[in-house]
Amino acid sequence: MADYALVVGDAMLRGRPGRYNIGIAGGKVAAIEAGSLRGDTEIDAAGNLVTESFVNAHLHLCKVYTLDRIGDDALAAYTGASMGAAMTAIELAAAVKEQYDEGWIEPNARRAVIEAVRHGVRHMLAFADVDTRAELRGIRPLLKLRDEFRGIIDLQVVAFPQDGLLRDPGAEELVRTAVELGADVVGGIPWIEHSDEDAREHVRRMCALAAEHGRKVAMLVDDAGDPALRTTEMLATEMIRHGLIGRGIANHARAVGTYAEPSVRRLAGLARRARLGFVTDPHTGPVRLPAFAMAELGVPVALGQDDIEDAYYPFGRNNMLEVAFLAVHALEAVSQPAMDRIYDMVTAVAADVLGVHSHRLETGGPADLVVLDGSSVREVLARHNPPRHVVAGGRLVAESATTSTFHLE
Ligand SMILES: [Zn+2]
């Protein structure tokens, strides 16, 4: 009889020289030792890096693989000219919702969730449009997939009024219904409203709904290249006012990248008070949150995939190593310490932003880990291959290999 249900042997770990064996029992990491361990099942890491699994802190899961339905116009508007036309892009992209049907949304979303499992994603913040065009057709399939995949990948489903609240009468009632159906998080997109007053009202109503139902809030804030946009500040202020401290996530917040430094520092101070976490997606738009500056000011920042082959981004595989690889370039983070910080933004810090505070590879922690293709953070980023082995809840859930055959003579 072995001591452990599963042993991952001959593993390299971050920040620790030597090779280690990881003993897993009862869904937990029970031991990390240099000496050999015996398991009912044994995985040979073969000197590759083993870390906690990945976290995708932001994905529009109901619209994955819809780019071919919608065409390129919205994509061009969203990514062009410092994002001056980001609002127009959202209006163009909304056309896809005329076709919204659970019959194709569910298989598309399922395909993206399976890609996430293959790439070792264990937690995901998944947005579903809930508005007068999508109604509940976007969120129902995601709630179903959440229940089906729980324990392999945990989806936190956000009821997201993509077209605004005051701009889209009827959306608020639909978000309320989605929360009653079991949505985990109340969404919001205040910057898209037509005035600051409406934006503040939007934030207020969604925070009140979250507080009433014991939910978190996750909002798309200031998602354009305009320093006049201040809805991140509104989100932090209303979180404090509604007793939602530590229960909010600011997504995108691109306009912060155009603020003068005193404004960045003031916002960071307020975000610390509200314990507001941030998610940035530097590959999906030309304007971006100053991720390192915010992190240095004590604000947790995660990376998200954001989109997969939709009207806002033409690529994406739920591969957080690929997202991190792109962020290394976009954020000019090619030094080893910078790469390590980026790696934290798709693992432990991203988990903190989603309120999963135990997500660390350590004795007593959850047995959610990946055996990577490469022996260092730099090497796994360079290759951004899917993990060789993915362990979730102490169980092997996916394995991948890449092979090439040469015929050179
Ligand atoms: Zn987004």
Side-chain angles (χ1 to χ4, degrees), residues 58 60 220 252 281 306-307:
H58 177 56
H60 297 277
L220 267 65
H252 292 304
D281 325 276
D306 197 6
D307 299 282

Side-chain angles (χ1 to χ4, degrees), residues 109-122:
R110 178 184 300 277
R111 182 179 154 203
V113 169
I114 288 169
E115 280 294 273
V117 173
R118 187 160 83 95
H119 288 102
V121 175
R122 182 65 180 83

Side-chain angles (χ1 to χ4, degrees), residues 388-402:
R388 290 170 173 227
H389 309 275
V390 178
V391 173
R395 200 163 64 77
L396 181 64
V397 297
E399 292 182 281
S400 297
T402 55

